[in-house]
Amino acid sequence: KRVPQNIYQKYLSFKNSRDWISCGRQIKDVDSFTLNNYFDKLLVERSEKKSVSVTKGLEQNKNNWEETFYQQLARNFGLKINTVPFELLAKSLPVSVLGKHKNNLMQIEALLFGQAGLLDFNHNFPHKIGTNPANEQWNDDYPKQLLKEYKFLKQKFNLKNIDASLWKFMRTHPPNFPTIRISQFANLIYKSSHLFSKIIETKDIKQIAKLFDTEASEYWQTHFRFNKQSTRKYRKFFGKHSINNILINTIIPFVFVYGKQKKNQELVDRALYFLENIEAEKNSVISKWKELGIDAKNAYQTQSLLQLKNEYCSNKRCLECAIGIKLLSEKR
């Protein structure tokens, strides 16, 4: 009897609700001041959660920021479907090795495609195994040149490539094929030495975004896979959506963690401010929020809404949520 009956009944209705979120029918009535204040807290929470993988990476790499950033960046290049093989690729090929060949795009691509296991003809065309000597069946000059370079570099640096079967091409749009993504990644490395240092020094998120304005090599204008020419020609740019994804999930968490570890509050604030200048993300969760009347204006708000749904709404943590408390306390 210590809790007013009307509040208790509202609480039970939230707990027993089967709606997408418990307060879905009332949330549109919450004032913007309450929402925006809570978004600030949610965003810091989400940033802290994302910082865990960065911190773990730093521990594994003995506090080497460049190596850790390179590995996390590669992981993000793989999108969800090829996250793991991209990360394994980066771990199999130290950034210091790529740095020794930073002025030679062909060698960078040879190292990346070779370590990915994708220069093995028998993996790409298993039905032709045995028809010719292994690894000599490429018709196109491009994979032939890459393979020649890779054989030398593999021996020079004593490298061991990952299993090519890890890469997933099925259920992936051709512009997001691993081959295209690896070539874009190679071009990024080629044109952007000391990338992490540049990012830390840059105060304009639009200038950082320009660093990722890259495309796949010329060969991939007419191909999606080695030895298979496509019916039409077009340039494979690293699109705006992909760049924003990198900014939100790799760049900003790194700036945030770097600022925290260096006790530089200006960098921490900058990381959060960057999100205000990135357009709102588009996904099923954000679409559902929009249906409920919460229309996010930028990535700052979409990241907050993702945190709210994943950590609070989905777990019925209404009594720990500023919005839930606001609705429960209202006299109606």
Side-chain angles (χ1 to χ4, degrees), residues 288-331:
K288 289 291 290 184
W289 280 116
K290 188 173 183 178
E291 289 176 15
L292 295 176
I294 311 297
D295 190 4
K297 305 301 181 186
N298 50 43
Y300 189 105
Q301 294 182 349
T302 55
Q303 285 289 292
S304 299
L305 289 170
L306 289 171
Q307 178 71 4
L308 177 57
K309 168 59 179 170
N310 296 339
E311 299 298 325
Y312 291 87
C313 303
S314 294
N315 297 311
K316 303 277 188 178
R317 293 170 61 189
C318 304
L319 295 181
E320 301 171 64
C321 168
I323 296 168
I325 292 171
K326 175 80 172 178
L327 290 170
L328 286 169
S329 63
E330 288 179 345
K331 294 181 179 180

Side-chain angles (χ1 to χ4, degrees), residues 172-221:
T172 305
H173 292 299
N176 291 328
F177 273 5
T179 45
I180 306 301
R181 288 281 176 165
I182 289 172
S183 182
Q184 291 169 339
F185 191 56
N187 275 272
L188 174 65
I189 292 169
Y190 173 66
K191 73 170 193 175
S192 303
S193 61
H194 303 294
L195 183 60
F196 179 68
S197 299
K198 288 180 181 177
I199 288 167
I200 293 299
E201 294 168 2
T202 305
K203 296 183 178 181
D204 185 350
I205 193 64
K206 292 181 180 179
Q207 292 301 315
I208 293 176
K210 286 182 180 179
L211 296 173
F212 294 89
D213 186 12
T214 188
E215 63 179 303
S217 298
E218 185 177 356
Y219 177 82
W220 300 108
Q221 293 181 28

Side-chain angles (χ1 to χ4, degrees), residues 88-100:
L88 292 174
L89 166 59
K91 288 183 176 180
S92 77
L93 181 62
V95 72
S96 58
V97 172
L98 288 171
K100 291 180 171 66

Side-chain angles (χ1 to χ4, degrees), residues 1 41 70 84 96 137 184 187 284 293:
K1 297 181 179 180
K41 179 179 181 294
Y70 156 70
V84 173
S96 58
Q137 300 97 327
Q184 291 169 339
N187 275 272
S284 59

Side-chain angles (χ1 to χ4, degrees), residues 10-211:
K10 274 198 251 183
Y11 169 70
L12 288 180
S13 71
F14 281 180
K15 293 292 285 184
N16 296 327
S17 173
R18 294 190 177 184
D19 292 340
W20 187 70
I21 62 169
S22 296
C23 64
R25 300 175 188 182
Q26 296 96 4
I27 194 169
K28 65 179 181 298
D29 298 326
V30 177
D31 61 279
S32 59
F33 180 80
T34 299
L35 286 176
N36 290 329
N37 273 359
Y38 194 39
F39 283 168
D40 292 344
K41 179 179 181 294
L42 290 167
L43 184 63
V44 173
E45 282 184 11
R46 187 162 177 82
S47 298
E48 293 284 2
K49 184 177 180 180
K50 284 187 174 185
S51 70
V52 173
S53 64
V54 177
T55 304
K56 285 183 178 178
L58 285 168
E59 290 173 359
Q60 293 169 0
N61 293 311
K62 299 179 180 179
N63 219 39
N64 186 323
W65 285 92
E66 292 281 354
E67 190 73 36
T68 306
F69 177 72
Y70 156 70
Q71 291 174 2
Q72 294 273 340
L73 184 61
R75 179 182 172 85
N76 211 326
F77 256 77
L79 302 176
K80 287 186 178 180
I81 196 166
N82 281 304
T83 292
V84 173
F86 242 113
E87 183 176 12
L88 292 174
L89 166 59
K91 288 183 176 180
S92 77
L93 181 62
V95 72
S96 58
V97 172
L98 288 171
K100 291 180 171 66
H101 301 274
K102 62 183 179 181
N103 296 321
N104 190 317
L105 178 58
M106 175 65 74
Q107 290 180 334
I108 292 174
E109 286 193 298
L111 283 165
L112 286 169
F113 278 115
Q115 284 301 100
L118 294 175
L119 294 180
D120 180 357
F121 181 92
N122 290 333
H123 166 74
N124 288 273
F125 301 97
H127 60 285
K128 294 185 179 181
I129 291 177
T131 59
N132 286 302
N135 293 332
E136 293 181 4
Q137 300 97 327
W138 296 120
N139 296 324
D140 297 343
D141 288 337
Y142 177 67
K144 284 181 181 178
Q145 291 171 353
L146 291 178
L147 182 58
K148 181 180 178 181
E149 291 282 356
Y150 177 63
K151 284 181 175 179
F152 169 75
L153 294 169
K154 182 179 184 180
Q155 187 173 11
K156 177 182 177 182
F157 295 110
N158 192 28
L159 298 172
K160 183 178 180 180
N161 61 275
I162 68 172
D163 188 344
S165 64
L166 293 170
W167 298 101
K168 294 178 176 62
F169 287 83
M170 297 287 287
R171 298 186 300 279
T172 305
H173 292 299
N176 291 328
F177 273 5
T179 45
I180 306 301
R181 288 281 176 165
I182 289 172
S183 182
Q184 291 169 339
F185 191 56
N187 275 272
L188 174 65
I189 292 169
Y190 173 66
K191 73 170 193 175
S192 303
S193 61
H194 303 294
L195 183 60
F196 179 68
S197 299
K198 288 180 181 177
I199 288 167
I200 293 299
E201 294 168 2
T202 305
K203 296 183 178 181
D204 185 350
I205 193 64
K206 292 181 180 179
Q207 292 301 315
I208 293 176
K210 286 182 180 179
L211 296 173

